[in-house]
Amino acid sequence: NFMLTQPHSVSESPGKTVTISCTGSGGSIASNYVQWYQQRPGSAPTTVIYDDDQRPSGVPDRFSGSIDSSSNSASLTISGLKTEDEADYYCQSYDTNNPWVFGGGTKLTVL
Amino acid sequence: EVQLVESGGGLVKPGGSLRLSCVGSGFSFTNAWMSWVRQAPGKGLEWVGRIKSETDGGTTDYAAPVKDRFTISRDDSKNTLYLQMNTLKTEDTAMYYCTALLDALDYWGQGTLVTVSS
């Protein structure tokens, strides 16, 4: 079965750049699109990246997504960090057995 | 504006049943693939299941922990998605979110809380 692994937490200062990784195992991460969801405390998730690197309208261009086949991983990069970016971030992709597979989530602290 | 509003959550005893609803507006509900995702308290996101549009066959898929206990259905005339949950277990306690897949982008509702406890 395909699985996605994320770091439990990351932290960075306002104005800096942070990258959250999402490593696939049991299959190639490049075989299916990856999505990234942001979940602020007490709120529902929202999509910040879809189809590996596409940004929904309304999501700032400080958010970007990429895929690295050599490391079998996806990455979410947030530049010019703001305190409002503090949230949990989840990567998600697809598997033949479970149409949706989620990473465990990464807690981003902006301090 | 795309809106998804879930309802039907509440407190239920182990072994009981509950039906959740999700009403969509601001988009073509008929053409959307709809899913349910849950989140246990303090935990990560877990996919529950999905239903394709009728145009794409209207078929359903379920995660292993809920297969044979949960049933997803849709009423396109009412723009409504359902999740029938039977034989509920304490580990089904979670916030349940519905999502709509539109042009490769998933939209999320605000969720409804299900608590399974004696």
Side-chain angles (χ1 to χ4, degrees):
Chain A
N1 283 358
F2 187 58
M3 295 177 60
L4 297 171
T5 302
Q6 300 179 236
H8 181 69
S9 63
V10 297
S11 61
E12 190 50 272
S13 303
K16 299 291 189 178
T17 297
V18 70
T19 296
I20 299 172
S21 63
C22 172
T23 303
S25 59
S28 170
I29 201 154
S31 295
N32 294 290
Y33 285 124
V34 174
Q35 282 60 238
W36 289 91
Y37 305 110
Q38 176 193 66
Q39 186 177 34
R40 294 190 173 109
S43 297
T46 61
T47 305
V48 292
I49 293 290
Y50 67 100
D51 284 1
D52 294 342
D53 58 7
Q54 301 300 300
R55 252 188 338 271
S57 61
V59 173
D61 59 7
R62 301 185 295 105
F63 289 78
S64 63
S66 63
I67 298 292
D68 183 352
S69 298
S70 64
S71 60
N72 207 34
S73 65
S75 295
L76 172 68
T77 298
I78 310 172
S79 60
L81 274 170
K82 300 184 177 184
T83 55
E84 67 202 48
D85 299 330
E86 191 161 286
D88 293 327
Y89 291 86
Y90 295 88
C91 61
Q92 175 262 316
S93 190
Y94 305 98
D95 180 42
T96 51
N97 294 319
N98 274 323
W100 284 31
V101 176
F102 286 102
T106 298
K107 180 178 180 61
L108 170 62
T109 301
V110 182
L111 34 68
Chain B
E1 180 192 5
V2 172
Q3 285 198 329
L4 297 165
V5 179
E6 302 94 333
S7 62
L11 176 63
V12 62
K13 288 181 168 53
S17 297
L18 208 57
R19 189 178 81 157
L20 308 184
S21 300
C22 168
V23 178
S25 61
F27 66 99
S28 174
F29 188 90
T30 301
N31 294 329
W33 290 23
M34 304 294 295
S35 296
W36 289 98
V37 175
R38 68 184 181 183
Q39 185 172 35
K43 303 296 184 182
L45 301 174
E46 180 186 22
W47 177 75
V48 172
R50 75 156 178 217
I51 185 166
K52 297 181 179 179
S53 63
E54 289 297 329
T55 302
D56 291 318
T59 56
T60 52
D61 296 284
Y62 300 94
V66 307
K67 193 174 174 60
D68 299 326
R69 298 190 299 123
F70 289 12
T71 301
I72 296 173
S73 61
R74 62 192 298 160
D75 185 340
D76 290 346
S77 69
K78 297 181 179 179
N79 284 3
T80 302
L81 172 74
Y82 301 102
L83 178 64
Q84 177 67 45
M85 303 185 293
N86 298 331
T87 319
L88 281 161
K89 306 175 181 180
T90 56
E91 53 263 41
D92 295 319
T93 293
M95 183 72 79
Y96 284 74
Y97 299 100
C98 73
T99 77
L101 178 62
L102 307 168
D103 294 329
L105 175 56
D106 284 291
Y107 294 85
W108 295 68
Q110 288 304 303
T112 186
L113 181 63
V114 172
T115 303
V116 184
S117 174
S118 55

